[in-house]
Coordinates of all heavy atoms in Angstrom, one line a residue:
M224 N 114.7 88.3 98.4 CA 114.3 87.1 97.7 C 112.9 87.3 97.1 O 112.1 88.0 97.6 CB 114.3 85.9 98.6 CG 115.6 85.6 99.3 SD 115.5 84.4 100.6 CE 115.3 82.9 99.6
E227 N 109.0 83.0 95.1 CA 109.4 81.7 94.6 C 110.7 81.2 95.3 O 110.8 80.1 95.7 CB 109.5 81.7 93.1 CG 109.9 80.3 92.5 CD 110.1 80.3 91.0 OE1 110.7 81.2 90.5 OE2 109.6 79.3 90.4
Q228 N 111.7 82.1 95.3 CA 113.0 81.8 95.9 C 112.8 81.4 97.4 O 113.3 80.5 97.9 CB 113.9 82.9 95.8 CG 114.5 83.1 94.4 CD 115.4 84.4 94.3 OE1 115.0 85.4 94.9 NE2 116.5 84.3 93.6
Y229 N 112.0 82.2 98.1 CA 111.8 82.0 99.5 C 111.1 80.7 99.7 O 111.4 79.9 100.7 CB 110.9 83.1 100.1 CG 110.7 83.0 101.6 CD1 111.8 83.4 102.5 CD2 109.6 82.5 102.2 CE1 111.6 83.3 103.9 CE2 109.4 82.3 103.5 CZ 110.4 82.7 104.4 OH 110.3 82.6 105.7
Y230 N 110.1 80.4 98.9 CA 109.4 79.1 99.1 C 110.3 77.9 98.8 O 110.3 77.0 99.6 CB 108.2 79.1 98.1 CG 107.4 77.7 98.1 CD1 106.7 77.4 99.2 CD2 107.5 76.9 97.0 CE1 106.0 76.1 99.2 CE2 106.8 75.7 97.0 CZ 106.1 75.3 98.2 OH 105.4 74.1 98.2
L231 N 111.1 78.0 97.8 CA 111.9 76.8 97.4 C 113.1 76.7 98.3 O 113.5 75.6 98.7 CB 112.4 77.0 96.0 CG 111.4 76.9 94.9 CD1 112.0 77.2 93.5 CD2 110.7 75.5 94.9
E232 N 113.7 77.8 98.7 CA 115.0 77.8 99.5 C 114.8 77.8 101.0 O 115.7 77.4 101.7 CB 115.9 79.0 99.1 CG 116.3 78.9 97.6 CD 117.1 80.1 97.2 OE1 117.7 80.8 98.1 OE2 117.2 80.4 96.0
V233 N 113.7 78.3 101.5 CA 113.5 78.3 102.9 C 112.4 77.4 103.3 O 112.6 76.5 104.1 CB 113.1 79.8 103.4 CG1 112.9 79.8 104.9 CG2 114.3 80.7 103.0
I234 N 111.2 77.6 102.8 CA 110.0 76.7 103.3 C 110.2 75.3 103.0 O 110.1 74.4 103.9 CB 108.7 77.2 102.6 CG1 108.4 78.7 102.9 CG2 107.5 76.3 103.0 CD1 108.1 79.0 104.4
R235 N 110.6 74.9 101.7 CA 110.7 73.5 101.4 C 111.9 72.9 102.0 O 111.9 71.7 102.4 CB 110.8 73.4 99.9 CG 109.5 73.7 99.2 CD 109.5 73.3 97.7 NE 109.5 71.9 97.5 CZ 109.5 71.3 96.3 NH1 109.5 72.1 95.2 NH2 109.6 70.0 96.2
R236 N 113.0 73.7 102.2 CA 114.2 73.2 102.9 C 113.9 72.8 104.3 O 114.3 71.8 104.9 CB 115.3 74.2 102.8 CG 116.7 73.6 103.3 CD 117.8 74.6 103.4 NE 117.5 75.6 104.4 CZ 117.5 76.9 104.2 NH1 117.7 77.4 103.0 NH2 117.2 77.8 105.2
E237 N 113.1 73.7 105.0 CA 112.8 73.5 106.4 C 111.9 72.2 106.5 O 112.1 71.4 107.4 CB 112.0 74.7 106.9 CG 112.8 75.9 107.2 CD 112.0 77.1 107.7 OE1 110.8 77.0 107.8 OE2 112.6 78.1 108.0

Side-chain angles (χ1 to χ4, degrees):
M224 302 170 76
E227 182 182 40
Q228 287 174 319
Y229 185 79
Y230 176 68
L231 293 175
E232 298 178 20
V233 179
I234 301 291
R235 292 189 68 178
R236 188 186 68 235
E237 289 177 357

